[in-house]
Amino acid sequence: MEKKASKILEEDPSGRFVKLKGVLGKGAFKTVHRGFDREEGVEIAWNIVRCSSLDTKQMERLKQEISILESLDHPFIMRLISVWEAPSTRDIIMCTELLTSGTLKDYMKKAGHIPLNIVKKWNKQILSGLNYLHNEYSPPIIHRDLKSDNIFINGGTGNLKIGDLGLSVVLEKSRAETLIGTPEFMAPELFEESYDQSIDIYSY
């Protein structure tokens, strides 16, 4: 027990979730650590969203986006389990389900050739998730950064889940920085900052 406890780096205010040693991924605004849900007895992803550069208006917008994400319930959308603000740093901590096989991009690199029937299955799952986001809410939820880096896979079932929803635009520091990254997935409308949910279809 002492050995396991020594791996705990932090816990949430309720004591249900703990952050463990081990970084699963790191981006411009977010670091993902391995975590554990004491109530359910399962591993989770402990996401730290750095908000030090956000002003009050941007912070409120981010919280609004996250409150929407908490309501999502779809088999091919990554589930947000809990969220809170770290009082000392103003960082937003989000606990999400953990898909142990990582991103679709990394999974395809490891797997090599993917049979056509599997590709069709994955496409149906992605489209099912997008259909839910675009049609179950008013106004529609737009992903804005759909790519294989933001789609995660459960290697045990072979099912996909769309992740990293709605945060890319909220967290942008400037329009110029938004255009840096993966322009090959960006619809032309994004450059004009006037767009609707169809930009996700372009990325797909």
PDB file of all heavy atoms in Angstrom, residues 145 147 149 178-186:
ATOM      1  N   ASP A 145     -11.317  20.848 -34.439  1.00  0.00           N
ATOM      2  CA  ASP A 145      -9.945  20.354 -34.592  1.00  0.00           C
ATOM      3  C   ASP A 145      -9.948  18.834 -34.738  1.00  0.00           C
ATOM      4  O   ASP A 145      -9.178  18.132 -34.080  1.00  0.00           O
ATOM      5  CB  ASP A 145      -9.096  20.783 -33.388  1.00  0.00           C
ATOM      6  CG  ASP A 145      -7.596  20.609 -33.642  1.00  0.00           C
ATOM      7  OD1 ASP A 145      -7.193  20.603 -34.828  1.00  0.00           O
ATOM      8  OD2 ASP A 145      -6.843  20.470 -32.670  1.00  0.00           O
ATOM      9  N   LYS A 147      -9.054  15.423 -36.051  1.00  0.00           N
ATOM     10  CA  LYS A 147      -7.927  14.781 -36.731  1.00  0.00           C
ATOM     11  C   LYS A 147      -7.593  13.510 -35.975  1.00  0.00           C
ATOM     12  O   LYS A 147      -8.115  13.273 -34.876  1.00  0.00           O
ATOM     13  CB  LYS A 147      -6.719  15.719 -36.783  1.00  0.00           C
ATOM     14  CG  LYS A 147      -6.270  16.240 -35.426  1.00  0.00           C
ATOM     15  CD  LYS A 147      -5.170  17.284 -35.564  1.00  0.00           C
ATOM     16  CE  LYS A 147      -4.766  17.830 -34.196  1.00  0.00           C
ATOM     17  NZ  LYS A 147      -3.719  18.865 -34.301  1.00  0.00           N
ATOM     18  N   ASP A 149      -5.119  12.701 -34.309  1.00  0.00           N
ATOM     19  CA  ASP A 149      -4.498  12.941 -32.997  1.00  0.00           C
ATOM     20  C   ASP A 149      -5.545  13.134 -31.905  1.00  0.00           C
ATOM     21  O   ASP A 149      -5.239  12.977 -30.720  1.00  0.00           O
ATOM     22  CB  ASP A 149      -3.606  14.190 -33.043  1.00  0.00           C
ATOM     23  CG  ASP A 149      -2.505  14.072 -34.071  1.00  0.00           C
ATOM     24  OD1 ASP A 149      -2.749  14.428 -35.238  1.00  0.00           O
ATOM     25  OD2 ASP A 149      -1.416  13.625 -33.716  1.00  0.00           O
ATOM     26  N   THR A 178      -3.640  30.129 -33.979  1.00  0.00           N
ATOM     27  CA  THR A 178      -4.639  29.142 -34.364  1.00  0.00           C
ATOM     28  C   THR A 178      -4.312  28.548 -35.726  1.00  0.00           C
ATOM     29  O   THR A 178      -4.548  27.374 -35.984  1.00  0.00           O
ATOM     30  CB  THR A 178      -6.033  29.797 -34.426  1.00  0.00           C
ATOM     31  OG1 THR A 178      -6.308  30.399 -33.183  1.00  0.00           O
ATOM     32  CG2 THR A 178      -7.102  28.758 -34.724  1.00  0.00           C
ATOM     33  N   LEU A 179      -3.758  29.355 -36.612  1.00  0.00           N
ATOM     34  CA  LEU A 179      -3.492  28.901 -37.965  1.00  0.00           C
ATOM     35  C   LEU A 179      -2.222  28.065 -38.046  1.00  0.00           C
ATOM     36  O   LEU A 179      -1.938  27.467 -39.063  1.00  0.00           O
ATOM     37  CB  LEU A 179      -3.381  30.107 -38.912  1.00  0.00           C
ATOM     38  CG  LEU A 179      -4.636  30.992 -38.932  1.00  0.00           C
ATOM     39  CD1 LEU A 179      -4.466  32.105 -39.952  1.00  0.00           C
ATOM     40  CD2 LEU A 179      -5.871  30.171 -39.241  1.00  0.00           C
ATOM     41  N   ILE A 180      -1.456  28.038 -36.975  1.00  0.00           N
ATOM     42  CA  ILE A 180      -0.293  27.168 -36.915  1.00  0.00           C
ATOM     43  C   ILE A 180      -0.744  25.810 -36.406  1.00  0.00           C
ATOM     44  O   ILE A 180      -1.569  25.725 -35.517  1.00  0.00           O
ATOM     45  CB  ILE A 180       0.778  27.756 -35.967  1.00  0.00           C
ATOM     46  CG1 ILE A 180       1.275  29.093 -36.508  1.00  0.00           C
ATOM     47  CG2 ILE A 180       1.942  26.796 -35.772  1.00  0.00           C
ATOM     48  CD1 ILE A 180       2.189  29.826 -35.560  1.00  0.00           C
ATOM     49  N   GLY A 181      -0.199  24.757 -36.935  1.00  0.00           N
ATOM     50  CA  GLY A 181      -0.566  23.445 -36.414  1.00  0.00           C
ATOM     51  C   GLY A 181      -0.833  22.461 -37.526  1.00  0.00           C
ATOM     52  O   GLY A 181       0.111  21.952 -38.122  1.00  0.00           O
ATOM     53  N   THR A 182      -2.083  22.210 -37.827  1.00  0.00           N
ATOM     54  CA  THR A 182      -2.413  21.207 -38.837  1.00  0.00           C
ATOM     55  C   THR A 182      -3.336  21.808 -39.895  1.00  0.00           C
ATOM     56  O   THR A 182      -4.522  21.473 -39.967  1.00  0.00           O
ATOM     57  CB  THR A 182      -3.094  19.996 -38.177  1.00  0.00           C
ATOM     58  OG1 THR A 182      -4.157  20.458 -37.329  1.00  0.00           O
ATOM     59  CG2 THR A 182      -2.111  19.205 -37.347  1.00  0.00           C
ATOM     60  N   PRO A 183      -2.821  22.725 -40.713  1.00  0.00           N
ATOM     61  CA  PRO A 183      -3.666  23.405 -41.705  1.00  0.00           C
ATOM     62  C   PRO A 183      -4.276  22.465 -42.722  1.00  0.00           C
ATOM     63  O   PRO A 183      -5.302  22.789 -43.317  1.00  0.00           O
ATOM     64  CB  PRO A 183      -2.703  24.401 -42.366  1.00  0.00           C
ATOM     65  CG  PRO A 183      -1.337  23.862 -42.098  1.00  0.00           C
ATOM     66  CD  PRO A 183      -1.426  23.203 -40.762  1.00  0.00           C
ATOM     67  N   GLU A 184      -3.668  21.280 -42.920  1.00  0.00           N
ATOM     68  CA  GLU A 184      -4.225  20.355 -43.909  1.00  0.00           C
ATOM     69  C   GLU A 184      -5.597  19.835 -43.499  1.00  0.00           C
ATOM     70  O   GLU A 184      -6.340  19.308 -44.328  1.00  0.00           O
ATOM     71  CB  GLU A 184      -3.271  19.181 -44.150  1.00  0.00           C
ATOM     72  CG  GLU A 184      -2.999  18.295 -42.954  1.00  0.00           C
ATOM     73  CD  GLU A 184      -1.787  18.733 -42.156  1.00  0.00           C
ATOM     74  OE1 GLU A 184      -1.487  19.933 -42.141  1.00  0.00           O
ATOM     75  OE2 GLU A 184      -1.153  17.861 -41.542  1.00  0.00           O
ATOM     76  N   PHE A 185      -5.965  19.993 -42.221  1.00  0.00           N
ATOM     77  CA  PHE A 185      -7.282  19.561 -41.758  1.00  0.00           C
ATOM     78  C   PHE A 185      -8.263  20.714 -41.618  1.00  0.00           C
ATOM     79  O   PHE A 185      -9.418  20.502 -41.271  1.00  0.00           O
ATOM     80  CB  PHE A 185      -7.162  18.847 -40.401  1.00  0.00           C
ATOM     81  CG  PHE A 185      -6.411  17.544 -40.462  1.00  0.00           C
ATOM     82  CD1 PHE A 185      -5.107  17.459 -39.990  1.00  0.00           C
ATOM     83  CD2 PHE A 185      -6.992  16.419 -41.007  1.00  0.00           C
ATOM     84  CE1 PHE A 185      -4.401  16.260 -40.043  1.00  0.00           C
ATOM     85  CE2 PHE A 185      -6.303  15.212 -41.067  1.00  0.00           C
ATOM     86  CZ  PHE A 185      -5.001  15.142 -40.591  1.00  0.00           C
ATOM     87  N   MET A 186      -7.804  21.944 -41.857  1.00  0.00           N
ATOM     88  CA  MET A 186      -8.645  23.119 -41.608  1.00  0.00           C
ATOM     89  C   MET A 186      -9.457  23.501 -42.834  1.00  0.00           C
ATOM     90  O   MET A 186      -8.914  23.664 -43.932  1.00  0.00           O
ATOM     91  CB  MET A 186      -7.773  24.313 -41.196  1.00  0.00           C
ATOM     92  CG  MET A 186      -7.080  24.152 -39.865  1.00  0.00           C
ATOM     93  SD  MET A 186      -6.106  25.627 -39.478  1.00  0.00           S
ATOM     94  CE  MET A 186      -5.391  25.158 -37.911  1.00  0.00           C
TER      95      MET A 186
END
